[in-house]
Amino acid sequence: MKIVVCAKQIPDPNTPYTLNPETHFIDRPAEQVLDDTDRYGVEVALQIGEKAAGEVVVVSMGPSGGMRGIRQALAMGADRAIVVDDPALRGSGALVTAKVLAAAIRSEEPDLVIAGTESTDGYAGVVPQQLAELLGLPALTYARRVEYGGGTIRIERMTTVGYDIVEAELPVLVTVTSGVAEPRYPSFKGIMAANTKRIDQPLCADLHLSAGQVGIDGSAQKIIEVRDAPERQAGRLVVDEGEAHLEIVSLLEQAKVI
Amino acid sequence: MLVWVFAEEIEGAPSSISLEMLTKARELGDDTAAFYLGAGSPAAFAALGAHGASIVYHLDPGDALAAAPAAVAIAELAAEHHPDLILFGLTFTDRDVAGRLSARLDVPVLSNAVDLAAKGDEIHVVNEILGGAELVATTFLGRKPWIAVVRAKSFVAEAGAAVDPDVVDVPMPDVASTAKVLERHTEVSEGPRLEDAAVVVSAGRGMGNADKLEPLIELARILGAAVGSTRAVVDAGWLPYSTQVGQTGTTVRPSVYLAFGLSGAMQHLVGMKDSGTIIAVNKDEEAPIFAIADLGVVGDVHAVLPRLLSALRHRS
């Protein structure tokens, strides 16, 4: 069984990112981290991989920097990685991202593709579904629980009113929500091993994607303007000395909710 | 401009986001149609008509996992009728269909829209970045239909002149897929649904641990409020994902939003900053939530909450 898990390196969420004023793209620090969301995907991939004696391959697109985020996924236990980092990709929209991932994944012929539901920095929230369509796979989405057995994946799919139990036979794409599993912390051994694991770095040309199909030119969308949002004014700040709850009660009365 | 709106059936009626989008679509285009995914009923179609749909394309997916066949059906209809713009909500099924449709038609999706504006022949899609501090307007280039995914509560649903829509039953496309829906579960939570609640009481990581949430849940009960949470709380497993407010969770716009032990990470703020009155209690006076709170209380949530509960009980 071969499992591909999609993962993304993003700027550390604890240090707010900035936009380049000219390009309007995110100014990415050289050192990025693994999107926290993707730790859940990696964990599910590893659990199924352990059960089915499978290989787990991390596939990622974006500026690779020092590969810190990718090494985090490898340190958790993924076997190897494919990272597509090509200057031509700058400014790629969601569909181009999906096309690049699809091109990198297709030749792996995976039985199972796992992704988070959306990245923390871009959060378009449609890339996995685009990927499923491009790969011709059924998509079991928004899993809060994933089970594998006998060539079938069964998930609890979150819905607006609760959840559905949904299943499909391999090959299939699954998107997981945070909370689906408890991501493991890399062991010391895992961290050491990650440094020697294979990372392939194909360029767009290697994936048979031309410059016109990717990046700004291939994305068919254009940023018109970036402007400051109307600011909400801060109100009163009080330090609680045993009476602050009365202020809350009074504001609830004013708002007529009590 | 011909605008289509995707409408998923939720408990027998069009999703609330679909009616919000139809209301906006009336302003953007000169003709509006809805694609309704669900069993369907005269009342559901009438609601779509009242909000501006002159045609309702109706697909009943039965027990199939609906996204793939819905995308095929919309793609076929779009090839025939040439909509300029197709709107989806930022909900589970809407996103599934929007993503598939985009890849199938090879047209981009602009997601997370909080506003849409027609500028000449262009549609500008506005979304928020940096926790809502900045707005980015993006336009589509190239082939149509353009696809946008809209955040809930970006527009207020209002019925217009009642239209009796033509209902077109769309046959279920033959999609080769092994995916099956085996069971459907409705989870009934106590109190109002998060997205509809007039009052939301949210827990942040500063609540300490799952065992310390009881006073907060009791407060929600007393106020008839929905319980909300942050990503950190959901990741820690204290509350289910269905309670998560923010960029990746639910967008809320209640009359009153009470935040306890919640610092106000950017990804949380985009989901609640448009609440009427915001009240926040946090021990860190530098917490970003205080910058948008009408009342900020610097203090220990475990001291303030019991006193607040007791004061509210004595009132009634």
Side-chain angles (χ1 to χ4, degrees):
Chain A
M1 158 112 96
K2 190 187 280 185
I3 304 167
V4 159
V5 56
C6 298
K8 187 177 184 185
Q9 299 192 110
I10 64 165
D12 190 334
N14 295 319
T15 45
Y17 63 85
T18 53
L19 284 200
N20 183 304
E22 278 165 31
T23 62
H24 304 314
F25 301 150
I26 297 172
D27 270 334
R28 293 185 181 273
E31 201 65 279
Q32 300 194 98
V33 298
L34 180 66
D35 191 336
D36 218 35
T37 313
D38 292 328
R39 294 193 304 134
Y40 299 92
V42 173
E43 179 61 37
V44 170
L46 292 173
Q47 287 183 12
I48 296 173
E50 281 155 10
K51 192 170 172 185
E55 183 187 25
V56 175
V57 183
V58 177
V59 175
S60 186
M61 172 190 130
S64 50
M67 295 282 186
R68 181 175 157 199
I70 301 300
R71 298 273 179 216
Q72 282 175 266
L74 295 173
M76 286 174 71
D79 296 293
R80 60 187 170 89
I82 300 170
V83 179
V84 190
D85 174 11
D86 189 321
L89 291 171
R90 196 130 173 80
S92 293
L95 182 57
V96 170
T97 304
K99 286 179 182 175
V100 171
L101 293 173
I105 291 169
R106 205 170 275 127
S107 57
E108 292 289 330
E109 297 181 2
D111 302 287
L112 176 61
V113 179
I114 298 176
T117 55
E118 67 266 300
S119 67
T120 305
D121 60 346
Y123 63 95
V126 293
V127 171
Q129 293 85 346
Q130 292 171 324
L131 185 57
E133 183 73 22
L134 293 168
L135 294 173
L137 295 177
L140 304 182
T141 47
Y142 315 104
R144 62 175 204 184
R145 188 185 162 94
V146 179
E147 283 171 48
Y148 167 73
T152 299
I153 296 281
R154 180 178 293 195
I155 70 158
E156 287 182 14
R157 176 184 185 269
M158 298 207 308
T159 65
T160 305
V161 296
Y163 69 96
D164 292 346
I165 304 214
V166 187
E167 72 168 33
E169 290 165 22
L170 302 179
V172 60
L173 179 143
V174 175
T175 76
V176 297
T177 60
S178 45
V180 67
E182 182 65 39
R184 65 194 68 185
Y185 286 99
S187 64
F188 179 71
K189 204 175 136 199
I191 294 166
M192 295 309 288
N195 290 322
T196 59
K197 284 179 178 170
R198 185 172 130 205
I199 302 179
D200 291 323
Q201 293 185 264
L203 298 172
C204 290
D206 301 317
L207 300 172
H208 308 290
L209 293 164
S210 69
Q213 289 174 292
V214 298
I216 301 172
D217 291 345
S219 294
Q221 61 195 59
K222 184 177 147 199
I223 294 175
I224 302 292
E225 64 165 349
V226 177
R227 61 178 190 269
D228 290 339
E231 256 182 80
R232 190 181 172 117
Q233 294 300 314
R236 263 158 40 73
L237 191 63
V238 300
V239 176
D240 179 42
E241 283 166 347
E243 302 289 324
H245 61 286
L246 299 174
E247 303 230 17
I248 298 176
V249 171
S250 144
L251 203 49
L252 291 172
E253 283 170 347
Q254 271 180 45
K256 300 192 171 65
V257 297
I258 54 173
Chain B
M1 181 167 285
L2 173 58
V3 184
W4 283 6
V5 170
F6 181 83
E8 184 191 9
E9 181 172 274
I10 304 290
E11 295 180 325
S15 63
S16 51
I17 176 87
S18 69
L19 302 182
E20 294 164 19
M21 293 189 295
L22 277 169
T23 305
K24 186 66 182 181
R26 295 208 301 267
E27 175 195 318
L28 293 173
D30 34 35
D31 197 6
T32 305
F35 182 94
Y36 189 75
L37 183 70
S41 67
F45 302 142
L48 295 167
H51 287 80
S54 60
I55 301 176
V56 175
Y57 299 105
H58 170 224
L59 177 67
D60 183 355
D63 281 335
L65 189 57
V72 171
I74 296 172
E76 285 172 1
L77 289 167
E80 191 178 336
H81 302 287
H82 308 289
D84 298 283
L85 176 67
I86 308 181
L87 302 178
F88 292 85
L90 193 70
T91 65
F92 301 118
T93 297
D94 285 43
R95 279 163 58 180
D96 282 357
V97 179
R100 281 203 177 266
L101 182 65
S102 143
R104 195 166 184 88
L105 298 177
D106 197 22
V107 293
V109 184
L110 293 177
S111 190
N112 272 291
V114 295
D115 198 7
L116 300 162
K119 305 266 177 173
D121 295 339
E122 294 185 340
I123 289 287
H124 289 193
V125 176
V126 179
N127 56 47
E128 297 173 323
I129 55 164
L130 303 171
E134 290 185 13
L135 299 172
V136 181
T138 309
T139 194
F140 302 93
L141 305 171
R143 291 196 305 120
K144 294 174 174 177
W146 298 328
I147 303 174
V149 179
V150 178
R151 288 194 75 91
K153 298 189 174 59
S154 297
F155 314 115
V156 177
E158 279 170 28
V163 180
D164 189 13
D166 292 332
V167 178
V168 179
D169 279 309
V170 179
M172 184 73 170
D174 192 11
V175 176
S177 171
T178 61
K180 287 195 287 275
V181 180
L182 303 178
E183 295 169 25
R184 296 187 193 274
H185 294 264
T186 301
E187 290 184 316
V188 186
S189 61
E190 223 182 300
R193 195 174 279 172
L194 181 57
E195 58 266 40
D196 304 326
V199 182
V200 173
V201 178
S202 271
R205 193 71 180 244
M207 288 300 297
N209 63 51
D211 300 336
K212 293 181 176 170
L213 294 177
E214 189 43 46
L216 184 140
I217 289 163
E218 175 63 16
L219 176 64
R221 205 172 292 140
I222 291 175
L223 295 175
V227 173
S229 71
T230 65
R231 183 165 178 169
V233 163
V234 171
D235 284 358
W238 301 353
L239 286 169
Y241 180 87
S242 58
T243 63
Q244 186 174 320
V245 171
Q247 180 180 294
T248 56
T250 303
T251 303
V252 298
R253 195 172 276 191
S255 304
V256 179
Y257 191 89
L258 294 114
F260 290 92
L262 183 161
S263 66
M266 286 200 289
Q267 90 99 19
H268 183 76
L269 298 183
V270 295
M272 48 64 72
K273 65 177 176 46
D274 295 322
S275 303
T277 299
I278 298 173
I279 301 171
V281 182
N282 196 299
K283 66 179 188 313
D284 175 11
E285 65 180 285
E286 303 291 325
I289 187 82
F290 287 143
I292 63 160
D294 299 281
L295 173 63
V297 174
V298 182
D300 178 1
V301 286
H302 301 298
V304 176
L305 261 175
R307 280 192 264 118
L308 179 58
L309 284 174
S310 149
L312 289 171
R313 285 197 195 102
H314 281 108
R315 271 185 95 261
S316 51

